[in-house]
Amino acid sequence: MALILIADDEARIRRLVADFLRRDGHTILEAGDGAEALALIEAHRAELALVILDVMMPKRDGFGVLAEIRASDHGKPLPVMMLTARAEDTDQLHGLEAGADDYVAKPFSPLVLAARVKALLKRAGTSEEQAAQTFGDLTVDERSRAVSVGGQPVELTPKEYELLVYFKNNRHVALSRETILNAVWGYDYFGDLRTVDTHIKKLRAKLGPCGALIGTVRGYGYRFDADAPTPAKTR
């Protein structure tokens, strides 16, 4: 898919974002400070599709790295997403006016960030749209955020939709409640793990018989069994 550089001095943030982007087929480079980010950008500029920059980094902050990127832009500009804990409007305006293409404040949902990366790459013309996927009677189309069962549309809340997409992108993988909570609600979410059970119960109900695709892993969590039998399509 695309080569993406993640520059953040927090290793856990880099791992979190990298894990989600790799699941979408991307190749990831990592930098722990601004100087390392600039070196990697210089070495891989021709093939880089996107740079994700933390603002507060040692040696060279994100704004400084962004300035270097824009000063050396030749032809097609390199897309840049700013990732920071500084959520003040003035900081966001600074980043956008300096040439950032998007600005994401921490804490964030990794699933939402991955979706914004996909949208940014699409705008830049470097991403392939993923076709609708069908699992028995269930169809999920990420391009239109549409879900249907037996050809009939299913209305989901944003969190229910994120849950379903996360499950289908990790099918046949046993996922703990904590993993699901961190992925869909964000790594800084301190809610009860029962939040996951409540949302999955509602999601299963809305999917009707296809809710059985979301299996329970006793004492652990859940698994999306994409090959599980589902009822014949509605006539």
mmCIF file of all heavy atoms in Angstrom, residues 180-217:
data_model
loop_
_atom_site.group_PDB
_atom_site.id
_atom_site.type_symbol
_atom_site.label_atom_id
_atom_site.label_comp_id
_atom_site.label_asym_id
_atom_site.label_seq_id
_atom_site.Cartn_x
_atom_site.Cartn_y
_atom_site.Cartn_z
ATOM 1 N N ILE A 180 -9.817 -4.568 22.644
ATOM 2 C CA ILE A 180 -10.914 -3.927 21.910
ATOM 3 C C ILE A 180 -11.164 -2.520 22.443
ATOM 4 O O ILE A 180 -11.346 -1.569 21.665
ATOM 5 C CB ILE A 180 -12.200 -4.779 22.017
ATOM 6 C CG1 ILE A 180 -11.988 -6.134 21.339
ATOM 7 C CG2 ILE A 180 -13.386 -4.051 21.388
ATOM 8 C CD1 ILE A 180 -13.088 -7.143 21.629
ATOM 9 N N LEU A 181 -11.154 -2.370 23.760
ATOM 10 C CA LEU A 181 -11.387 -1.059 24.371
ATOM 11 C C LEU A 181 -10.320 -0.062 23.928
ATOM 12 O O LEU A 181 -10.629 1.071 23.537
ATOM 13 C CB LEU A 181 -11.390 -1.185 25.891
ATOM 14 C CG LEU A 181 -11.924 0.006 26.681
ATOM 15 C CD1 LEU A 181 -13.439 0.122 26.508
ATOM 16 C CD2 LEU A 181 -11.599 -0.134 28.161
ATOM 17 N N ASN A 182 -9.042 -0.472 23.957
ATOM 18 C CA ASN A 182 -7.958 0.418 23.548
ATOM 19 C C ASN A 182 -8.048 0.783 22.075
ATOM 20 O O ASN A 182 -7.766 1.918 21.675
ATOM 21 C CB ASN A 182 -6.600 -0.239 23.824
ATOM 22 C CG ASN A 182 -6.277 -0.305 25.298
ATOM 23 O OD1 ASN A 182 -6.820 0.455 26.089
ATOM 24 N ND2 ASN A 182 -5.387 -1.208 25.670
ATOM 25 N N ALA A 183 -8.452 -0.198 21.242
ATOM 26 C CA ALA A 183 -8.490 0.027 19.804
ATOM 27 C C ALA A 183 -9.622 0.953 19.381
ATOM 28 O O ALA A 183 -9.438 1.838 18.543
ATOM 29 C CB ALA A 183 -8.615 -1.312 19.072
ATOM 30 N N VAL A 184 -10.790 0.744 19.946
ATOM 31 C CA VAL A 184 -11.976 1.470 19.488
ATOM 32 C C VAL A 184 -12.248 2.739 20.293
ATOM 33 O O VAL A 184 -12.676 3.757 19.749
ATOM 34 C CB VAL A 184 -13.209 0.537 19.505
ATOM 35 C CG1 VAL A 184 -14.468 1.283 19.063
ATOM 36 C CG2 VAL A 184 -12.962 -0.672 18.607
ATOM 37 N N TRP A 185 -11.963 2.684 21.598
ATOM 38 C CA TRP A 185 -12.233 3.856 22.451
ATOM 39 C C TRP A 185 -10.987 4.707 22.684
ATOM 40 O O TRP A 185 -11.079 5.841 23.114
ATOM 41 C CB TRP A 185 -12.826 3.421 23.784
ATOM 42 C CG TRP A 185 -14.299 3.173 23.721
ATOM 43 C CD1 TRP A 185 -15.302 4.052 24.042
ATOM 44 C CD2 TRP A 185 -14.954 1.965 23.305
ATOM 45 N NE1 TRP A 185 -16.519 3.458 23.852
ATOM 46 C CE2 TRP A 185 -16.345 2.180 23.390
ATOM 47 C CE3 TRP A 185 -14.495 0.720 22.857
ATOM 48 C CZ2 TRP A 185 -17.275 1.203 23.065
ATOM 49 C CZ3 TRP A 185 -15.416 -0.252 22.520
ATOM 50 C CH2 TRP A 185 -16.789 -0.008 22.619
ATOM 51 N N GLY A 186 -9.807 4.151 22.416
ATOM 52 C CA GLY A 186 -8.575 4.916 22.585
ATOM 53 C C GLY A 186 -7.785 4.448 23.788
ATOM 54 O O GLY A 186 -8.331 3.984 24.789
ATOM 55 N N TYR A 187 -6.458 4.561 23.684
ATOM 56 C CA TYR A 187 -5.574 4.023 24.719
ATOM 57 C C TYR A 187 -5.683 4.759 26.040
ATOM 58 O O TYR A 187 -5.261 4.257 27.081
ATOM 59 C CB TYR A 187 -4.121 4.044 24.231
ATOM 60 C CG TYR A 187 -3.546 5.424 24.052
ATOM 61 C CD1 TYR A 187 -2.823 6.035 25.072
ATOM 62 C CD2 TYR A 187 -3.721 6.120 22.863
ATOM 63 C CE1 TYR A 187 -2.312 7.302 24.916
ATOM 64 C CE2 TYR A 187 -3.209 7.395 22.705
ATOM 65 C CZ TYR A 187 -2.497 7.978 23.723
ATOM 66 O OH TYR A 187 -1.988 9.233 23.563
ATOM 67 N N ASP A 188 -6.231 5.986 26.048
ATOM 68 C CA ASP A 188 -6.355 6.749 27.287
ATOM 69 C C ASP A 188 -7.773 6.696 27.862
ATOM 70 O O ASP A 188 -8.118 7.449 28.760
ATOM 71 C CB ASP A 188 -5.964 8.215 27.066
ATOM 72 C CG ASP A 188 -4.470 8.435 27.272
ATOM 73 O OD1 ASP A 188 -3.816 7.523 27.819
ATOM 74 O OD2 ASP A 188 -3.973 9.495 26.886
ATOM 75 N N TYR A 189 -8.607 5.795 27.328
ATOM 76 C CA TYR A 189 -9.976 5.675 27.818
ATOM 77 C C TYR A 189 -9.972 4.844 29.101
ATOM 78 O O TYR A 189 -9.399 3.760 29.155
ATOM 79 C CB TYR A 189 -10.861 4.995 26.764
ATOM 80 C CG TYR A 189 -12.307 4.850 27.174
ATOM 81 C CD1 TYR A 189 -13.190 5.915 27.063
ATOM 82 C CD2 TYR A 189 -12.781 3.636 27.673
ATOM 83 C CE1 TYR A 189 -14.519 5.773 27.438
ATOM 84 C CE2 TYR A 189 -14.110 3.493 28.048
ATOM 85 C CZ TYR A 189 -14.972 4.567 27.924
ATOM 86 O OH TYR A 189 -16.280 4.425 28.291
ATOM 87 N N PHE A 190 -10.585 5.361 30.149
ATOM 88 C CA PHE A 190 -10.549 4.682 31.443
ATOM 89 C C PHE A 190 -11.911 4.104 31.833
ATOM 90 O O PHE A 190 -12.194 3.924 33.006
ATOM 91 C CB PHE A 190 -10.061 5.644 32.528
ATOM 92 C CG PHE A 190 -8.633 6.075 32.327
ATOM 93 C CD1 PHE A 190 -8.347 7.354 31.880
ATOM 94 C CD2 PHE A 190 -7.596 5.196 32.568
ATOM 95 C CE1 PHE A 190 -7.031 7.754 31.683
ATOM 96 C CE2 PHE A 190 -6.273 5.582 32.370
ATOM 97 C CZ PHE A 190 -6.002 6.860 31.932
ATOM 98 N N GLY A 191 -12.737 3.816 30.859
ATOM 99 C CA GLY A 191 -14.044 3.270 31.143
ATOM 100 C C GLY A 191 -13.989 1.806 31.566
ATOM 101 O O GLY A 191 -12.954 1.139 31.484
ATOM 102 N N ASP A 192 -15.120 1.299 32.010
ATOM 103 C CA ASP A 192 -15.244 -0.085 32.455
ATOM 104 C C ASP A 192 -15.200 -1.019 31.242
ATOM 105 O O ASP A 192 -15.741 -0.709 30.178
ATOM 106 C CB ASP A 192 -16.586 -0.236 33.182
ATOM 107 C CG ASP A 192 -16.660 -1.508 34.003
ATOM 108 O OD1 ASP A 192 -16.436 -2.590 33.423
ATOM 109 O OD2 ASP A 192 -16.939 -1.406 35.207
ATOM 110 N N LEU A 193 -14.577 -2.176 31.409
ATOM 111 C CA LEU A 193 -14.520 -3.165 30.331
ATOM 112 C C LEU A 193 -15.908 -3.640 29.923
ATOM 113 O O LEU A 193 -16.108 -4.127 28.809
ATOM 114 C CB LEU A 193 -13.669 -4.365 30.751
ATOM 115 C CG LEU A 193 -12.156 -4.134 30.840
ATOM 116 C CD1 LEU A 193 -11.475 -5.396 31.359
ATOM 117 C CD2 LEU A 193 -11.580 -3.732 29.491
ATOM 118 N N ARG A 194 -16.888 -3.463 30.829
ATOM 119 C CA ARG A 194 -18.260 -3.855 30.482
ATOM 120 C C ARG A 194 -18.829 -2.999 29.357
ATOM 121 O O ARG A 194 -19.825 -3.374 28.727
ATOM 122 C CB ARG A 194 -19.151 -3.772 31.719
ATOM 123 C CG ARG A 194 -18.890 -4.901 32.731
ATOM 124 C CD ARG A 194 -19.692 -4.726 33.996
ATOM 125 N NE ARG A 194 -19.294 -3.512 34.721
ATOM 126 C CZ ARG A 194 -19.804 -3.146 35.894
ATOM 127 N NH1 ARG A 194 -20.744 -3.897 36.452
ATOM 128 N NH2 ARG A 194 -19.391 -2.053 36.495
ATOM 129 N N THR A 195 -18.186 -1.849 29.094
ATOM 130 C CA THR A 195 -18.592 -1.018 27.953
ATOM 131 C C THR A 195 -18.515 -1.825 26.665
ATOM 132 O O THR A 195 -19.388 -1.723 25.792
ATOM 133 C CB THR A 195 -17.667 0.218 27.844
ATOM 134 O OG1 THR A 195 -17.819 1.018 29.007
ATOM 135 C CG2 THR A 195 -17.997 1.043 26.611
ATOM 136 N N VAL A 196 -17.460 -2.639 26.545
ATOM 137 C CA VAL A 196 -17.294 -3.480 25.352
ATOM 138 C C VAL A 196 -18.444 -4.469 25.236
ATOM 139 O O VAL A 196 -19.059 -4.617 24.175
ATOM 140 C CB VAL A 196 -15.941 -4.222 25.410
ATOM 141 C CG1 VAL A 196 -15.828 -5.212 24.243
ATOM 142 C CG2 VAL A 196 -14.787 -3.237 25.384
ATOM 143 N N ASP A 197 -18.751 -5.158 26.340
ATOM 144 C CA ASP A 197 -19.840 -6.142 26.317
ATOM 145 C C ASP A 197 -21.174 -5.501 25.946
ATOM 146 O O ASP A 197 -21.948 -6.064 25.160
ATOM 147 C CB ASP A 197 -19.967 -6.811 27.688
ATOM 148 C CG ASP A 197 -18.723 -7.582 28.090
ATOM 149 O OD1 ASP A 197 -18.074 -8.157 27.195
ATOM 150 O OD2 ASP A 197 -18.405 -7.608 29.279
ATOM 151 N N THR A 198 -21.441 -4.326 26.495
ATOM 152 C CA THR A 198 -22.707 -3.636 26.220
ATOM 153 C C THR A 198 -22.836 -3.290 24.748
ATOM 154 O O THR A 198 -23.879 -3.524 24.123
ATOM 155 C CB THR A 198 -22.807 -2.356 27.073
ATOM 156 O OG1 THR A 198 -22.771 -2.714 28.456
ATOM 157 C CG2 THR A 198 -24.099 -1.614 26.775
ATOM 158 N N HIS A 199 -21.760 -2.724 24.167
ATOM 159 C CA HIS A 199 -21.816 -2.329 22.754
ATOM 160 C C HIS A 199 -21.898 -3.547 21.832
ATOM 161 O O HIS A 199 -22.603 -3.502 20.810
ATOM 162 C CB HIS A 199 -20.604 -1.467 22.396
ATOM 163 C CG HIS A 199 -20.750 -0.034 22.796
ATOM 164 N ND1 HIS A 199 -20.630 0.406 24.093
ATOM 165 C CD2 HIS A 199 -21.031 1.074 22.052
ATOM 166 C CE1 HIS A 199 -20.820 1.704 24.141
ATOM 167 N NE2 HIS A 199 -21.060 2.135 22.922
ATOM 168 N N ILE A 200 -21.202 -4.622 22.186
ATOM 169 C CA ILE A 200 -21.254 -5.812 21.348
ATOM 170 C C ILE A 200 -22.632 -6.455 21.409
ATOM 171 O O ILE A 200 -23.153 -6.934 20.391
ATOM 172 C CB ILE A 200 -20.153 -6.809 21.757
ATOM 173 C CG1 ILE A 200 -18.792 -6.252 21.341
ATOM 174 C CG2 ILE A 200 -20.395 -8.181 21.131
ATOM 175 C CD1 ILE A 200 -17.612 -7.096 21.763
ATOM 176 N N LYS A 201 -23.260 -6.438 22.573
ATOM 177 C CA LYS A 201 -24.618 -6.964 22.693
ATOM 178 C C LYS A 201 -25.577 -6.198 21.767
ATOM 179 O O LYS A 201 -26.385 -6.802 21.051
ATOM 180 C CB LYS A 201 -25.094 -6.860 24.145
ATOM 181 C CG LYS A 201 -26.502 -7.400 24.374
ATOM 182 C CD LYS A 201 -26.895 -7.290 25.850
ATOM 183 C CE LYS A 201 -28.302 -7.823 26.069
ATOM 184 N NZ LYS A 201 -28.707 -7.719 27.505
ATOM 185 N N LYS A 202 -25.452 -4.867 21.760
ATOM 186 C CA LYS A 202 -26.312 -4.048 20.902
ATOM 187 C C LYS A 202 -25.994 -4.277 19.419
ATOM 188 O O LYS A 202 -26.892 -4.332 18.572
ATOM 189 C CB LYS A 202 -26.148 -2.571 21.257
ATOM 190 C CG LYS A 202 -26.690 -2.215 22.635
ATOM 191 C CD LYS A 202 -26.467 -0.735 22.947
ATOM 192 C CE LYS A 202 -27.024 -0.372 24.317
ATOM 193 N NZ LYS A 202 -26.776 1.062 24.646
ATOM 194 N N LEU A 203 -24.698 -4.405 19.102
ATOM 195 C CA LEU A 203 -24.296 -4.643 17.714
ATOM 196 C C LEU A 203 -24.835 -5.974 17.213
ATOM 197 O O LEU A 203 -25.394 -6.061 16.104
ATOM 198 C CB LEU A 203 -22.768 -4.612 17.607
ATOM 199 C CG LEU A 203 -22.165 -4.956 16.238
ATOM 200 C CD1 LEU A 203 -22.660 -3.991 15.172
ATOM 201 C CD2 LEU A 203 -20.640 -4.934 16.317
ATOM 202 N N ARG A 204 -24.703 -7.017 18.017
ATOM 203 C CA ARG A 204 -25.234 -8.327 17.631
ATOM 204 C C ARG A 204 -26.730 -8.263 17.371
ATOM 205 O O ARG A 204 -27.241 -8.851 16.399
ATOM 206 C CB ARG A 204 -24.951 -9.342 18.737
ATOM 207 C CG ARG A 204 -23.526 -9.887 18.781
ATOM 208 C CD ARG A 204 -23.318 -10.675 20.039
ATOM 209 N NE ARG A 204 -22.127 -11.511 20.036
ATOM 210 C CZ ARG A 204 -21.632 -12.094 21.103
ATOM 211 N NH1 ARG A 204 -22.225 -11.927 22.284
ATOM 212 N NH2 ARG A 204 -20.550 -12.839 21.020
ATOM 213 N N ALA A 205 -27.442 -7.538 18.233
ATOM 214 C CA ALA A 205 -28.897 -7.441 18.082
ATOM 215 C C ALA A 205 -29.264 -6.775 16.761
ATOM 216 O O ALA A 205 -30.186 -7.209 16.063
ATOM 217 C CB ALA A 205 -29.494 -6.666 19.254
ATOM 218 N N LYS A 206 -28.524 -5.712 16.403
ATOM 219 C CA LYS A 206 -28.827 -4.994 15.157
ATOM 220 C C LYS A 206 -28.478 -5.831 13.920
ATOM 221 O O LYS A 206 -29.099 -5.670 12.870
ATOM 222 C CB LYS A 206 -28.069 -3.669 15.125
ATOM 223 C CG LYS A 206 -28.613 -2.642 16.103
ATOM 224 C CD LYS A 206 -27.920 -1.296 15.948
ATOM 225 C CE LYS A 206 -28.516 -0.260 16.891
ATOM 226 N NZ LYS A 206 -27.882 1.091 16.739
ATOM 227 N N LEU A 207 -27.483 -6.711 14.061
ATOM 228 C CA LEU A 207 -27.092 -7.542 12.919
ATOM 229 C C LEU A 207 -27.990 -8.772 12.777
ATOM 230 O O LEU A 207 -27.854 -9.516 11.794
ATOM 231 C CB LEU A 207 -25.633 -7.995 13.073
ATOM 232 C CG LEU A 207 -24.571 -6.888 13.042
ATOM 233 C CD1 LEU A 207 -23.187 -7.492 13.222
ATOM 234 C CD2 LEU A 207 -24.649 -6.090 11.747
ATOM 235 N N GLY A 208 -28.877 -8.984 13.731
ATOM 236 C CA GLY A 208 -29.788 -10.123 13.650
ATOM 237 C C GLY A 208 -29.031 -11.437 13.659
ATOM 238 O O GLY A 208 -28.067 -11.601 14.415
ATOM 239 N N PRO A 209 -29.432 -12.398 12.816
ATOM 240 C CA PRO A 209 -28.742 -13.698 12.792
ATOM 241 C C PRO A 209 -27.245 -13.570 12.508
ATOM 242 O O PRO A 209 -26.458 -14.401 12.955
ATOM 243 C CB PRO A 209 -29.464 -14.448 11.662
ATOM 244 C CG PRO A 209 -30.813 -13.819 11.602
ATOM 245 C CD PRO A 209 -30.595 -12.367 11.904
ATOM 246 N N CYS A 210 -26.851 -12.522 11.767
ATOM 247 C CA CYS A 210 -25.430 -12.339 11.456
ATOM 248 C C CYS A 210 -24.630 -11.895 12.682
ATOM 249 O O CYS A 210 -23.399 -11.871 12.640
ATOM 250 C CB CYS A 210 -25.255 -11.324 10.327
ATOM 251 S SG CYS A 210 -25.784 -11.961 8.721
ATOM 252 N N GLY A 211 -25.317 -11.544 13.761
ATOM 253 C CA GLY A 211 -24.612 -11.216 14.986
ATOM 254 C C GLY A 211 -23.825 -12.404 15.508
ATOM 255 O O GLY A 211 -22.867 -12.243 16.278
ATOM 256 N N ALA A 212 -24.201 -13.620 15.054
ATOM 257 C CA ALA A 212 -23.498 -14.831 15.483
ATOM 258 C C ALA A 212 -22.081 -14.878 14.933
ATOM 259 O O ALA A 212 -21.258 -15.682 15.403
ATOM 260 C CB ALA A 212 -24.273 -16.067 15.032
ATOM 261 N N LEU A 213 -21.760 -14.040 13.944
ATOM 262 C CA LEU A 213 -20.394 -13.978 13.427
ATOM 263 C C LEU A 213 -19.416 -13.489 14.499
ATOM 264 O O LEU A 213 -18.220 -13.775 14.449
ATOM 265 C CB LEU A 213 -20.324 -13.046 12.209
ATOM 266 C CG LEU A 213 -21.017 -13.519 10.933
ATOM 267 C CD1 LEU A 213 -21.080 -12.387 9.913
ATOM 268 C CD2 LEU A 213 -20.288 -14.720 10.343
ATOM 269 N N ILE A 214 -19.934 -12.710 15.458
ATOM 270 C CA ILE A 214 -19.104 -12.227 16.565
ATOM 271 C C ILE A 214 -19.211 -13.245 17.690
ATOM 272 O O ILE A 214 -20.179 -13.256 18.449
ATOM 273 C CB ILE A 214 -19.560 -10.830 17.040
ATOM 274 C CG1 ILE A 214 -19.553 -9.843 15.879
ATOM 275 C CG2 ILE A 214 -18.656 -10.333 18.163
ATOM 276 C CD1 ILE A 214 -20.162 -8.494 16.211
ATOM 277 N N GLY A 215 -18.237 -14.108 17.768
ATOM 278 C CA GLY A 215 -18.267 -15.176 18.755
ATOM 279 C C GLY A 215 -17.629 -14.760 20.071
ATOM 280 O O GLY A 215 -16.766 -13.885 20.109
ATOM 281 N N THR A 216 -18.062 -15.382 21.142
ATOM 282 C CA THR A 216 -17.493 -15.130 22.471
ATOM 283 C C THR A 216 -16.371 -16.117 22.746
ATOM 284 O O THR A 216 -16.534 -17.324 22.523
ATOM 285 C CB THR A 216 -18.576 -15.274 23.557
ATOM 286 O OG1 THR A 216 -19.607 -14.306 23.328
ATOM 287 C CG2 THR A 216 -17.982 -15.040 24.946
ATOM 288 N N VAL A 217 -15.242 -15.603 23.212
ATOM 289 C CA VAL A 217 -14.136 -16.449 23.653
ATOM 290 C C VAL A 217 -14.205 -16.463 25.176
ATOM 291 O O VAL A 217 -13.853 -15.480 25.828
ATOM 292 C CB VAL A 217 -12.776 -15.909 23.166
ATOM 293 C CG1 VAL A 217 -11.640 -16.810 23.637
ATOM 294 C CG2 VAL A 217 -12.763 -15.777 21.640
#
